[in-house]
Amino acid sequence: MISSQLSTESNAPSIEHNLPPDCFAQIFPFHFVFNRNLEIVQAGKVLQRIAPEGLIGGQLDQFFQIQRPKVGLDYDALIKKSKKLFLIESIQQGFQLKGQLMPVQTEEVIFFIGSLWVTDLCELKENGVKLQDFAIHEPTSDFLYLLQAKSTALADTTKLTEELTLKQTELEQTLQIVQDKNENLQATLQQLEATQDQLIQSEKMASLGQLIAGIAHEINTPLGAIRSSVENISDFLERNLRVLPSFFQNLTVEGNHLFGELLDSANQDRMILSSREKRKLKRGNIRMLEEQGIEQADDVADTLAELNYLEKIEAIVPRLRSPEGRQTLDMAYQFSTLLNSTKTIKTATDKAAKVVFALKSYTHFDHSGNKSTTNLINDIETVLTLYQSQLKNGVEVIRNYGPIPSVSCFHDELSQVWTNLIHNALQAMDYQGTLTLDVKQQDHQVQVKIADSGQGIPAEVMPKIFQPFFTTKPPGEGSGLGLDIVKKIVAKHEGEITVESEPGNTQFTVSIPLA
């Protein structure tokens, strides 16, 4: 018998196989072998190099977990699934191996025949692997896969190998039988090549099915914002359409000026203040209104705040004493709500378009486009506006904004980064907690930190969060592409994204170069 012993251990078992040891080592540098007790007894040299110490002699479940197919770590169950394509992941390093199982019944062991699975050449360096570590005789590898796929051919070839080692006198007859079997395998190979296009199409359809669930979920938020805004507009018209003519007819010159001043304030860019600053201004306004004898000072102060009228209200306080002044204030507030609803509809439609654009970016990322200048704080505030309905019922937003210059970037793509990170933060907190946003200039970069007070990311999950299609969310609530898209967009801007997490504080930091 010809024995393939790739282990560096001197006491590795003699595993019977039908290839010479040097050929086996060259074709399968990432293989490993385990026995009925799930003890790893043999491994390829490259796999031994990149795996943790103690691989040989260790238990299978200490080093690897099977991603697919769904099968328990049971020797007999694995044999039954041996014809399936296996995806096996290193528990500690996170690298993935893709291949098939090949049981050897006479030795009661199972070979895993496969190779390192990567989607980007830069991942080779991260795993400590070079191109020359891979198999170089692909036709021979294909030949072995066909042997495993065709059980009858494998049995016949194994029988011939036994006859070659036990009956040297029958060499010519055995070689002729091998040649006949090779012809059969060549025919099978041609059949596999004929179905290659169908297999590729099936893979694309499977990926598309995973994407659709994520798109349906992501587009639900802007649709909800549009629906809510349309309801606000409808309610306003139902309540006020009949009274609007008489209101404007009875409006005095002074009331008209007050109405216009309040609407102008509401239509201006909102002042970006911290919660503490807003509370301080509101308390001062309430005291001033009470001193001037304005009834329901709390409600009036809230209404003025909604109208973006937080500072220097002394000029309009006297005009709020009369019934006409209060009526004008209330009507201005309702009109500002109408304006805000129309703005929200526009923002929400832009958001829906960006979700579709994010999908396009993933499927055809290397598209052409021109950079434009933007203020990242304004872009983040736009995203917060979209999620206002989910923020107001239990999420405290803390804004720590410093002065920053405009950034030249692919605006739509970078907006998708803030959308995904903020959305993930809200989901991590179950929409109850504190969302902290820090934006500042750090040397020649603009640094954005988005932190949430959720449960945190488990240590075993942390290495996988940027992998495509990896998600901890239930089916239909996430495609597993969000953070993968975020990482690609940041890399396209020559920036960097990092994450730190512990219970009660998970923080993503994005750094975008200014030049």
Side-chain angles (χ1 to χ4, degrees):
M1 299 256 177
I2 299 175
S3 176
S4 299
Q5 299 196 25
L6 303 185
S7 171
T8 57
E9 301 291 333
S10 60
N11 60 348
S14 175
I15 305 302
E16 296 180 354
H17 201 70
N18 57 336
L19 284 179
D22 55 345
C23 184
F24 195 88
Q26 188 177 28
I27 295 175
F28 302 116
F30 297 94
H31 91 284
F32 62 87
V33 185
F34 57 94
N35 60 21
R36 177 171 288 278
N37 297 326
L38 302 184
E39 178 185 4
I40 299 175
V41 297
Q42 183 173 306
K45 292 182 179 179
V46 178
L47 181 59
Q48 290 187 61
R49 191 183 76 224
I50 67 175
E53 293 184 3
L55 178 65
I56 304 297
Q59 291 295 310
L60 181 63
D61 58 358
Q62 291 179 329
F63 295 91
F64 300 105
Q65 59 184 359
I66 298 175
Q67 295 289 353
R68 68 172 187 253
K70 298 297 183 182
V71 60
L73 284 177
D74 177 78
Y75 185 86
D76 294 325
L78 290 173
I79 289 180
K80 292 179 180 179
K81 292 284 188 178
S82 60
K83 293 185 179 181
K84 299 289 186 180
L85 187 65
F86 275 70
L87 182 62
I88 299 178
E89 182 175 22
S90 169
I91 294 175
Q92 298 183 36
Q93 269 75 18
F95 62 81
Q96 294 181 322
L97 303 172
K98 189 174 184 180
Q100 288 185 279
L101 299 182
M102 182 182 291
V104 180
Q105 301 291 353
T106 58
E107 298 282 349
E108 284 202 321
V109 294
I110 298 178
F111 275 75
F112 171 76
I113 306 298
S115 185
L116 188 68
W117 188 35
V118 295
T119 57
D120 195 328
L121 287 179
C122 66
E123 297 178 23
L124 295 179
K125 185 176 181 181
E126 297 175 2
N127 293 313
V129 177
K130 300 178 181 179
L131 285 176
Q132 54 263 41
D133 290 331
F134 284 84
I136 61 174
H137 293 294
E138 192 60 28
T140 306
S141 178
D142 289 343
F143 172 83
L144 288 175
Y145 283 132
L146 291 172
L147 286 176
Q148 177 60 27
K150 294 293 184 178
S151 59
T152 56
L154 176 61
D156 291 341
T157 304
T158 302
K159 182 178 179 181
L160 290 176
T161 304
E162 293 173 353
E163 291 176 355
L164 283 171
T165 57
L166 297 175
K167 300 179 181 181
Q168 294 295 332
T169 58
E170 300 176 2
L171 179 59
E172 293 183 2
Q173 180 182 357
T174 303
L175 289 176
Q176 183 61 47
I177 296 175
V178 171
Q179 183 177 353
D180 293 340
K181 295 303 178 182
N182 285 339
E183 292 176 357
N184 293 335
L185 291 173
Q186 192 66 30
T188 304
L189 178 61
Q190 293 176 355
Q191 293 177 2
L192 292 175
E193 290 175 347
T195 59
Q196 185 177 18
D197 291 339
Q198 296 180 0
L199 293 175
I200 294 174
Q201 185 64 24
S202 298
E203 185 72 16
K204 288 182 179 180
M205 294 302 294
S207 299
L208 182 60
Q210 290 175 306
L211 288 173
I212 288 173
I215 293 301
H217 173 70
E218 293 290 343
I219 211 138
N220 186 54
T221 298
L223 289 178
I226 293 171
R227 185 185 301 109
S228 176
S229 299
V230 170
E231 289 176 355
N232 290 339
I233 294 172
S234 178
D235 291 343
F236 171 82
L237 293 175
E238 289 179 3
R239 290 195 311 266
N240 300 298
L241 192 59
R242 291 178 178 270
V243 302
L244 284 177
S246 61
F247 168 76
F248 286 110
Q249 287 176 358
N250 297 329
L251 201 61
T252 64
V253 174
E254 183 177 357
N256 187 51
H257 288 163
L258 176 61
F259 184 76
E261 185 177 347
L262 292 172
L263 281 185
D264 289 341
S265 175
N267 209 27
Q268 290 177 355
D269 292 336
R270 290 189 172 271
M271 293 180 292
I272 300 175
L273 301 173
S274 66
S275 300
R276 179 181 297 180
E277 291 171 328
K278 287 184 178 180
R279 288 194 297 268
K280 183 178 179 181
L281 285 173
K282 182 180 175 182
R283 286 195 297 267
N285 290 342
I286 291 174
R287 285 196 299 269
M288 183 184 303
L289 292 168
E290 290 176 343
E291 291 171 358
Q292 293 294 327
I294 304 297
E295 297 180 357
Q296 298 177 330
D298 285 356
D299 293 341
V300 174
D302 286 336
T303 303
L304 290 172
E306 292 293 331
L307 289 167
N308 202 27
Y309 218 122
L310 286 169
E311 298 181 314
K312 299 179 181 180
I313 69 170
E314 300 91 343
I316 68 169
V317 169
R319 289 180 281 175
L320 298 178
R321 293 175 181 172
S322 64
E324 182 192 29
R326 291 295 296 274
Q327 184 183 14
T328 302
L329 175 65
D330 293 339
M331 188 60 71
Y333 169 72
Q334 294 187 58
F335 266 91
S336 72
T337 302
L338 182 65
L339 291 174
N340 288 335
S341 295
T342 58
K343 292 179 180 178
T344 300
I345 291 174
K346 182 180 182 301
T347 304
T349 54
D350 291 341
K351 168 67 167 71
K354 290 175 183 177
V355 171
V356 176
F357 179 78
L359 176 62
K360 181 181 178 182
S361 298
Y362 183 81
T363 56
H364 185 65
F365 195 77
D366 190 21
H367 60 84
S368 60
N370 297 320
K371 289 185 176 181
S372 60
T373 57
T374 186
N375 186 291
L376 298 186
I377 293 176
N378 292 338
D379 295 343
I380 292 172
E381 285 297 314
T382 299
V383 175
L384 292 175
T385 299
L386 289 174
Y387 289 105
Q388 186 59 38
S389 61
Q390 295 162 333
L391 294 171
K392 63 184 179 181
N393 293 324
V395 177
E396 179 185 6
V397 181
I398 299 177
R399 298 172 171 87
N400 299 317
Y401 295 157
I404 62 170
S406 296
V407 175
S408 178
C409 64
F410 298 100
H411 177 261
D412 288 339
E413 297 180 36
L414 210 51
S415 293
Q416 190 64 31
V417 170
W418 319 132
T419 301
N420 284 357
L421 293 181
I422 291 175
H423 185 216
N424 287 349
L426 294 177
Q427 286 191 321
M429 298 185 294
D430 198 19
Y431 305 96
Q432 297 287 328
T434 303
L435 178 67
T436 305
L437 305 169
D438 293 88
V439 184
K440 64 178 180 180
Q441 182 178 355
Q442 184 76 19
D443 298 329
H444 298 290
Q445 296 179 325
V446 173
Q447 192 175 81
V448 178
K449 297 182 179 180
I450 299 176
D452 66 76
S453 60
Q455 296 180 356
I457 303 173
E460 64 272 15
V461 172
M462 184 73 77
K464 308 176 187 177
I465 61 174
F466 291 107
Q467 293 180 5
F469 299 121
F470 176 79
T471 179
T472 58
K473 301 172 185 176
E477 292 192 13
S479 64
L481 294 176
L483 288 178
D484 176 61
I485 292 173
V486 165
K487 185 177 181 180
K488 283 183 169 64
I489 293 175
V490 173
K492 184 176 182 179
H493 287 82
E494 299 181 358
E496 182 182 13
I497 180 170
T498 59
V499 57
E500 299 175 358
S501 183
E502 60 184 16
N505 183 31
T506 297
Q507 178 174 275
F508 284 84
T509 301
V510 178
S511 300
I512 302 297
L514 288 173

